[in-house]
Amino acid sequence: MTQEDGIDNLAASRIVLKTSLENSRALASALDSTGQRLEGMKQRLPSLEATVRHVPRKKCTFVAIREHIDRAIGPAAAVLKVYDIIQELQKSLLSHPCSDLSTYLLMLKQLDESLKFLADNCGLAIQWLEAILEFLEDNEVHDDLYILNVNKSLSIMQELQATEKHARLGGGVLCAAFDKLEVEFRQILLENCFCVVLDSFSSSIRKQASIAPSPLPVAVIQKLQVIIERLDADNRLEKCISTYVEVRCLNTMRSFQALDLNYLNQSLNEFDDVQDVECYVDQWCKHLQLAVKQVFEIEYKLCSDVLEKNGPEVWMDCFAKIVTQSGILSFLRFGKKITECKNDPVKLMKLLDIFATLDNLRVDFSRLFGGSACSEIQTMTRDLLKGVVNGACEIFWELPIQVELQRRSSPPLDGSVPRLVSFVTDYCNHLLGDDYRPLLTQILTIQQSWKQEKYQEELVANQIYYIIKQIGLNLDAWSKAHHDLTLSYLFMMNNHCHFCSLKGTDLGGLMGDSWLKAHEQYRDYYMTLYLRESWGKIFALLSQESRVLSFPTRGSVGDLVKKRLKSFNEEFDHMYQKQSNWVVPCEDLRLRMCKLAVQAYVPVYRSHLQNYEFHQAETDASPSRHLKYTAQGLEALLCSLFQPKLSKPSSSKHNRLIGKIKDIVTDNFRLTLMAA
């Protein structure tokens, strides 16, 4: 340690000692002063003891409860201030919320909080007042006036504490204010209800966007939300949702009025057959798409927007109530009725239409009705889909059998194509078309999957082949039913021509070119047989007559010519009369037949007339009087045959496939199997 360090340490020690000395002096002075005060107190104690000994016990008791009184005064004073505020708020809430909703809600919130604050502070004041009474009782204080005042204060506090409860009861200020909010909520909804313009002919239904814009302005939605939030805080959410469902259902039903949905509520007894309601099924398909994509879509979006803050469970339950009460179940029940009608070909087409609609709405149904709140809708939709699939498959597999059952019926008397043949080919064409074949394939695939089987691509084609095969067998049987061989040939010619006309159609493509060519050959074959069996035999009489006239003998020629000509006229008249009611529906075939007949037989007749007139000129001055037909007249008669019978113009509906079906299904092509 250096000399400088030592000097510094000594200086520091000196300072410490000096400070300690000063502190000691100050302490000694304080002790002297304290001692003097203690001595003075000691001297005064005897006199104080004597004074206290004479204080009444009653005053000591009041000093002891002063703490309880002080504690009760604080809450009581707060109660008085809050009560004044409540009185002012009650006056303000006499107005209607529509004037200024935000201010009204703010005052309502302040009133609610003030009433709760009042009740809480009253509770504290009551506790301390009860403590005062208990203390007085324990200390046997019998000052009646004092106790009376405490009890009166306690009664006032208890009455004020019940103010909140009374305010929430019927007729109370809070209850009345909440009732006004509910009225305002309903009024806002009603003022913003606009019927949806439903365009059932819109081609954009299938292409419509899945998520529609909100149907209400943002400001309106915000108003509804703040009212719901306020009412929910008072446990009135259920009443609020009930009002919302009621108003939106009324709006939805008004939108549906333009569609005239009364047919949805018809009982099954009113239409046992699909034919009775086929037009309704077409409407149902359009109306269901409109309901889901345009009406229920809007309600779904609106429920989500308005009740978003209350959680998905709340707004999904609200949406489920709206769509259920608006009629979605009626749509599904109507579809189920169709599946329960008697089976016939019309029903297959209608079931495919229903399936197409459900398939088109599959994504929408899953999104809109996928929640637990829509369990009833989900169950009914599954039942409807099951009925559609099973019903359509059952009818499809039964078609060949039902065609075969018609084999015992009679063919047309005019030799035309039976309605069953034209119907079945048209029907198969529709099943194979772009509209129905994918649906039929999808339905068969679904049913096969339910059976744990794999769908075979050739199922539809094989079934169509089988149906056409049964038609061919029917034609063979029907042709034999014609006792007139000539009519039988005409009948087969017409039907083979009908099959030839399928070229370029879906059915013709399925059956193949070789099948079509075979029918062309059969058509020409039966046409040749017909011409030979009918007009060929008659004109053969003229050919025989010509050979006789080539070697005439005077005296017999006149009688023989007359006899032959008379025989020809009689046979021709008979044949023409018989065939005048026969029909060749195909115009091209009819013209071709007439042309062939004219080319083959009119020259023979003209040649005969020339020979006849030559020989008659030698023996008769007026040979023309024995002629019934000229060559031109005969040609005109031949060309006038087989014309289709004129019928009254039919509406466009009867020109459709369904119209054709109705013509024949009523008695002939009925499936006897009832739907399961």
Side-chain angles (χ1 to χ4, degrees), residues 508-578:
L510 176 69
M511 302 305 293
D513 291 338
S514 59
W515 182 82
L516 293 170
K517 289 180 180 179
H519 282 291
E520 290 178 0
Q521 294 172 357
Y522 278 117
R523 175 200 63 195
D524 295 341
Y525 170 73
Y526 281 109
M527 181 171 60
T528 302
L529 291 179
Y530 159 76
L531 291 173
R532 187 179 64 190
E533 186 67 24
S534 58
W535 306 115
K537 288 186 176 181
I538 294 176
F539 281 93
L541 297 175
L542 299 180
S543 299
Q544 295 172 6
E545 198 172 306
S546 298
R547 286 194 295 270
V548 172
L549 293 176
S550 298
F551 306 96
T553 60
R554 292 184 181 272
S556 63
V557 172
D559 294 337
L560 183 59
V561 168
K562 290 179 182 180
K563 183 178 180 181
R564 291 295 188 182
L565 188 57
K566 182 180 178 182
S567 177
F568 170 81
N569 289 337
E570 290 175 353
E571 290 295 329
F572 183 88
D573 290 343
H574 174 73
M575 184 65 71
Y576 182 84
Q577 185 64 32
K578 181 172 65 173

Side-chain angles (χ1 to χ4, degrees), residues 43-59:
Q43 293 175 0
R44 291 194 299 274
L45 278 175
S47 60
L48 180 63
E49 181 179 0
T51 302
V52 171
R53 186 178 296 114
H54 296 289
V55 174
R57 181 172 180 174
K58 180 178 179 181
K59 292 183 180 179

Side-chain angles (χ1 to χ4, degrees), residues 300 312-313 315-317 319-320 323-324 363-379 382:
Y300 180 87
E313 184 176 351
W315 69 259
M316 280 297 294
D317 182 67
F319 171 72
V323 296
T324 300
V363 175
D364 300 281
F365 265 63
S366 178
R367 179 171 53 85
L368 298 180
F369 313 126
S372 58
C374 298
S375 58
E376 185 177 7
I377 299 175
Q378 297 166 17
T379 300
R382 284 194 296 268

Side-chain angles (χ1 to χ4, degrees), residues 180-334:
K180 289 182 179 180
L181 270 185
E182 289 178 349
V183 172
E184 178 65 10
F185 182 77
R186 174 186 287 272
Q187 189 62 31
I188 293 175
L189 285 173
L190 290 173
E191 290 175 353
N192 291 275
C193 281
F194 302 100
C195 294
V196 180
V197 180
L198 299 176
D199 181 9
S200 58
F201 301 100
S202 175
S203 60
S204 61
I205 292 177
R206 296 176 181 266
K207 301 178 182 178
Q208 184 176 339
S210 297
I211 301 178
S214 179
L216 297 182
V218 175
V220 174
I221 292 178
Q222 290 175 346
K223 284 184 179 181
L224 295 174
Q225 286 178 336
V226 294
I227 293 177
I228 291 172
E229 184 179 4
R230 180 64 263 176
L231 293 173
D232 187 19
D234 194 55
N235 298 320
R236 291 195 176 207
L237 180 61
E238 185 175 351
K239 178 68 179 300
C240 190
I241 289 180
S242 176
T243 300
Y244 182 89
V245 170
E246 177 188 350
V247 174
R248 293 308 303 177
C249 279
L250 289 174
N251 186 71
T252 300
M253 297 306 293
R254 282 197 294 268
S255 298
F256 284 152
Q257 284 178 358
L259 300 180
D260 188 13
L261 301 177
N262 293 330
Y263 67 89
L264 294 178
N265 299 318
Q266 288 183 257
S267 64
L268 185 61
N269 293 332
E270 294 180 52
F271 48 91
D272 290 337
D273 300 331
V274 177
Q275 296 175 70
D276 298 334
V277 289
E278 56 173 305
C279 60
Y280 291 149
V281 176
D282 295 337
Q283 292 181 31
W284 180 90
C285 294
K286 295 177 182 178
H287 293 168
L288 181 60
Q289 293 188 77
L290 289 169
V292 172
K293 290 183 174 290
Q294 294 189 21
V295 178
F296 297 147
E297 181 67 55
I298 289 176
E299 298 305 326
Y300 180 87
K301 184 69 169 63
L302 191 57
C303 282
S304 174
D305 291 342
V306 174
L307 299 168
E308 178 183 11
K309 296 180 180 179
N310 301 91
E313 184 176 351
V314 173
W315 69 259
M316 280 297 294
D317 182 67
C318 180
F319 171 72
K321 291 177 180 177
I322 291 174
V323 296
T324 300
Q325 296 179 25
S326 297
I328 183 64
L329 299 183
S330 296
F331 276 101
L332 299 176
R333 278 193 287 265
F334 178 85

